[in-house]
Amino acid sequence: MSWHPQYRSSKFRHVFGKPASKENCYDSVPITRSVHDNHFCAVNPHFIAVVTECAGGGAFLVIPLHQTGKLDPHYPKVCGHRGNVLDVKWNPFDDFEIASCSEDATVKIWSIPKQLLTKNLTACRKELVGHARRVGLVEWHPTAANILFSCGYDYKVMIWNLDTKESVIVSPVRTITCHQDVILSMSFNTNGSLLATTCKDRKIRILDPRAGTVLQEASYKGHRANKVLFLGNLKKLLSTGTSRWNNRQIALWDQDDLSVPLTEEDLDGSSGVLFPFYDSDTNMLYVVGKGDGNIRYYEVSADKPYLSYLTEYRSYNPQKGMGVMPKRGLDVSSCEIFRFYKLITTKSLIEPVSMIVPRRSESYQEDIYPPTAAAQPSLTAQEWLNGMNRGPVLVSLRPGSELLSPRPLPPERPLFDSVAPASPQPLGQTAKLAAEDGWRPPSLLEEKAPRWAAERRLEEKKSWLTNGFDIFECPPPKTENELLQMFYRQQEEIRRLRELVTQREVQAKQMELEIKNLRMRFEQF
């Protein structure tokens, strides 16, 4: 009879939350006291934006990420709204552009200067005027450039194309009017072809955002949904809400069948909203409770039991909202896989909390950092509006690695003329081969070959020497001490060879991704 352990084997079993020290927090920040169930915070690798208290209108702060410590009480604000700011979101493809929405029924796009703000910023780059009532949510499209979604208290979802010269945009490119009450949350799937929403009627809807039609609707009465989240490429949705007995609850759904949830789990009897966050790179789900200091985290799988509880980060300081750092802004040297920015209203404090995978080795951990979404769109606004879908451009988080994304290609005529003698195929057939087979013109490969060849020769030369000892010219050991020294040298050599193999695998993956992205680039033509 075989024995089965009671625990799951997982590399994320021992993930723990590590709060930042006092000097690495943001102190004396006048965090908004609004009662809306929003995050009130947005983060990217350069700035942290937080909605603040402001007399006579709405404002938010944009603080450089490195400017920790106590905030100047007269620190400049971004304050062009006439009503309270309800939500802010950074452009995923431009770290110096941010969208904000307000009770004044407008959405504004701001360009943040690269140098520090010296005075209040009141002039926005674009103003979107279309909602009849206050606007509660804004979301950028995950793969298409310059596409913004906004939800208002007029029960409408509006899609805006910012790729215009107009500074004031009055009419959206699409208005979705299928909701009968206030929209509480919205979430995109990986390529942005589907939009999931929750409404005050506690129903979950999956929409085709371009057509404005409802594809799926949950009519299950046992779970009253508040927030919803697409779980990457698993074709599943996760919602947080309350059960019939008003317990806080999470539910997992099949995106193709919303009749009954795949699984439900009651958490506690608190009244605060649960905010879900999903990391598609590690398949980890984080559930943050508003008004308490807990962060629960789970591992999600495609098969039963679907949700596997890992553990919980606990703190005595209650959080009002949360900001999340994109993966490209994490500290990979300390095995950080997620980072929250916790708004603590009672202390006027923003506290970073890092989720760490404990590892002994200080080298780059390839298994916990797969290629992730880069800060580069894979579609233009017009391509997406015309019906095209494409996944995100990927990038490796390895320090010093190059962006695995389509680069601006040289003019087509010189590029293909350079290979004409060796390849007499016509231009159209050459482009077709490049798109179908991932083939690249030799001129692009030749630019990288000398550097890669030099690095390879250098690494191979290093691998021959172990602590200055040439392994091919060593005499056989004569004493026990020499045998022991040889054993240690061989162990060190094995370790170095393993690292070399890992580097080769990473280079192979980078080449595969580069070919994939180049193929996507050629498909655009």
Side-chain angles (χ1 to χ4, degrees):
M1 181 177 178
S2 61
W3 178 78
H4 296 281
Q6 297 299 314
Y7 59 86
R8 292 178 67 253
S9 176
S10 169
K11 53 192 164 191
F12 302 111
R13 275 183 59 217
H14 303 291
V15 170
F16 65 95
K18 181 181 179 182
S21 57
K22 182 69 173 178
E23 58 269 17
N24 291 322
C25 295
Y26 305 84
D27 202 358
S28 302
V29 181
I31 302 168
T32 180
R33 300 189 182 276
S34 173
V35 296
H36 282 78
D37 293 327
N38 284 350
H39 299 308
F40 299 117
C41 182
V43 188
N44 68 23
H46 291 91
F47 300 106
I48 175 169
V50 57
V51 181
T52 183
E53 285 293 303
C54 181
F60 60 95
L61 297 167
V62 176
I63 308 169
L65 208 64
H66 59 82
Q67 191 173 324
T68 55
K70 194 168 183 178
L71 189 72
D72 185 350
H74 302 293
Y75 190 83
K77 301 180 177 67
V78 181
C79 52
H81 285 285
R82 297 183 300 277
N84 290 333
V85 175
L86 299 182
D87 196 15
V88 289
K89 290 288 185 342
W90 289 105
N91 187 338
F93 311 121
D94 185 352
D95 288 342
F96 299 93
E97 185 172 270
I98 189 170
S100 63
C101 62
S102 167
E103 291 182 350
D104 62 10
T106 65
V107 179
K108 295 192 176 186
I109 312 299
W110 308 86
S111 292
I112 306 300
K114 294 187 178 181
Q115 63 274 15
L116 296 180
L117 288 173
T118 55
K119 60 181 181 179
N120 288 349
L121 182 62
T122 57
C124 64
R125 189 172 72 85
K126 288 185 184 294
E127 184 175 3
L128 316 181
V129 182
H131 286 281
R133 299 179 64 188
R134 56 187 172 181
V135 187
L137 291 170
V138 287
E139 285 287 348
W140 295 90
H141 193 276
T143 60
N146 295 315
I147 293 290
L148 183 73
F149 285 63
S150 63
C151 295
Y153 277 66
D154 52 5
Y155 313 156
K156 295 178 181 178
V157 179
M158 294 189 177
I159 307 174
W160 306 87
N161 181 5
L162 307 182
D163 195 11
T164 63
K165 295 181 180 180
E166 303 171 7
S167 58
V168 178
I169 304 176
V170 178
S171 56
V173 294
R174 173 74 64 189
T175 301
I176 301 173
T177 57
C178 60
H179 299 87
Q180 304 300 319
D181 212 326
V182 177
I183 300 155
L184 301 178
S185 72
M186 54 181 172
S187 173
F188 290 98
N189 63 346
T190 304
N191 63 8
S193 61
L194 298 176
L195 176 69
T197 64
T198 52
C199 186
K200 209 169 182 180
D201 60 9
R202 304 301 185 183
K203 291 183 178 180
I204 301 172
R205 295 174 176 87
I206 297 180
L207 314 172
D208 181 344
R210 284 171 290 220
T213 55
V214 180
L215 304 178
Q216 293 279 333
E217 182 174 307
S219 56
Y220 183 70
K221 302 296 182 184
H223 175 78
R224 292 174 291 181
N226 194 294
K227 303 290 181 184
V228 68
L229 197 63
F230 266 105
L231 299 183
N233 290 319
L234 296 179
K235 292 192 174 182
K236 289 179 175 56
L237 291 171
L238 182 116
S239 64
T240 64
T242 55
S243 66
R244 291 178 179 176
W245 296 274
N246 281 334
N247 290 325
R248 291 201 297 188
Q249 187 182 60
I250 59 175
L252 191 70
W253 309 78
D254 182 351
Q255 77 175 36
D256 298 322
D257 180 13
L258 298 184
S259 57
V260 179
L262 296 172
T263 182
E264 297 174 271
E265 183 175 332
D266 286 3
L267 300 185
D268 53 39
S270 300
S271 59
V273 172
L274 293 171
F275 295 114
F277 299 92
Y278 181 66
D279 181 3
S280 58
D281 296 338
T282 60
N283 290 332
M284 284 186 64
L285 170 72
Y286 302 86
V287 180
V288 178
K290 180 181 178 181
D292 56 56
N294 301 341
I295 301 175
R296 299 173 176 88
Y297 36 104
Y298 303 77
E299 195 166 11
V300 185
S301 59
D303 305 315
K304 288 185 179 181
Y306 304 117
L307 289 177
S308 301
Y309 176 76
L310 294 174
T311 185
E312 182 177 1
Y313 167 79
R314 295 189 176 187
S315 169
Y316 292 107
N317 298 318
Q319 56 247 358
K320 181 182 182 65
M322 279 284 189
V324 173
M325 173 65 75
K327 294 300 287 286
R328 55 194 174 87
L330 298 181
D331 180 14
V332 296
S333 63
S334 62
C335 297
E336 181 185 36
I337 58 170
F338 216 73
R339 189 192 304 162
F340 293 99
Y341 285 80
K342 178 176 173 178
L343 305 186
I344 306 173
T345 312
T346 55
K347 294 186 174 182
S348 298
L349 186 73
I350 304 176
E351 179 186 50
V353 178
S354 299
M355 311 308 294
I356 306 292
V357 178
R359 294 281 175 95
R360 290 184 178 179
S361 174
E362 295 181 358
S363 60
Y364 179 74
Q365 305 294 313
E366 183 70 27
D367 59 326
I368 62 175
Y369 295 115
T372 189
Q376 181 170 341
S378 56
L379 289 169
T380 64
Q382 199 57 49
E383 285 174 340
W384 183 80
L385 292 170
N386 290 340
M388 290 183 65
N389 293 318
R390 193 172 291 144
V393 176
L394 301 178
V395 63
S396 171
L397 295 181
R398 176 180 286 274
S401 64
E402 298 178 354
L403 186 68
L404 306 176
S405 58
R407 298 180 182 177
L409 295 177
E412 290 187 4
R413 187 175 300 276
L415 177 67
F416 290 104
D417 285 346
S418 63
V419 297
S423 179
Q425 297 170 337
L427 179 63
Q429 189 175 355
T430 309
K432 184 178 178 182
L433 281 174
E436 292 179 356
D437 302 329
W439 176 85
R440 295 204 307 175
S443 58
L444 292 179
L445 292 172
E446 288 169 3
E447 292 176 3
K448 293 191 175 185
R451 181 170 61 85
W452 284 2
E455 289 179 357
R456 183 174 181 179
R457 285 195 298 269
L458 183 61
E459 288 172 355
E460 288 176 351
K461 186 176 180 181
K462 286 181 180 177
S463 68
W464 297 340
L465 300 175
T466 305
N467 297 330
F469 192 87
D470 192 339
I471 60 175
F472 296 113
E473 297 180 359
C474 56
K478 297 179 181 179
T479 64
E480 185 177 352
N481 190 26
E482 289 181 358
L483 184 64
L484 207 56
Q485 288 180 358
M486 182 64 69
F487 170 75
Y488 290 139
R489 286 169 183 159
Q490 287 181 346
Q491 292 295 313
E492 179 69 17
E493 184 61 28
I494 290 171
R495 185 186 66 80
R496 293 193 181 192
L497 287 173
R498 282 177 178 168
E499 290 183 356
L500 195 61
V501 169
T502 303
Q503 291 174 4
R504 292 285 183 269
E505 290 175 352
V506 171
Q507 287 180 357
K509 288 181 181 178
Q510 288 178 347
M511 287 293 295
E512 289 174 4
L513 289 170
E514 211 166 331
I515 290 171
K516 178 181 175 183
N517 288 328
L518 189 63
R519 184 183 304 169
M520 291 166 52
R521 182 74 176 178
F522 273 109
E523 287 175 359
Q524 294 179 4
F525 299 104

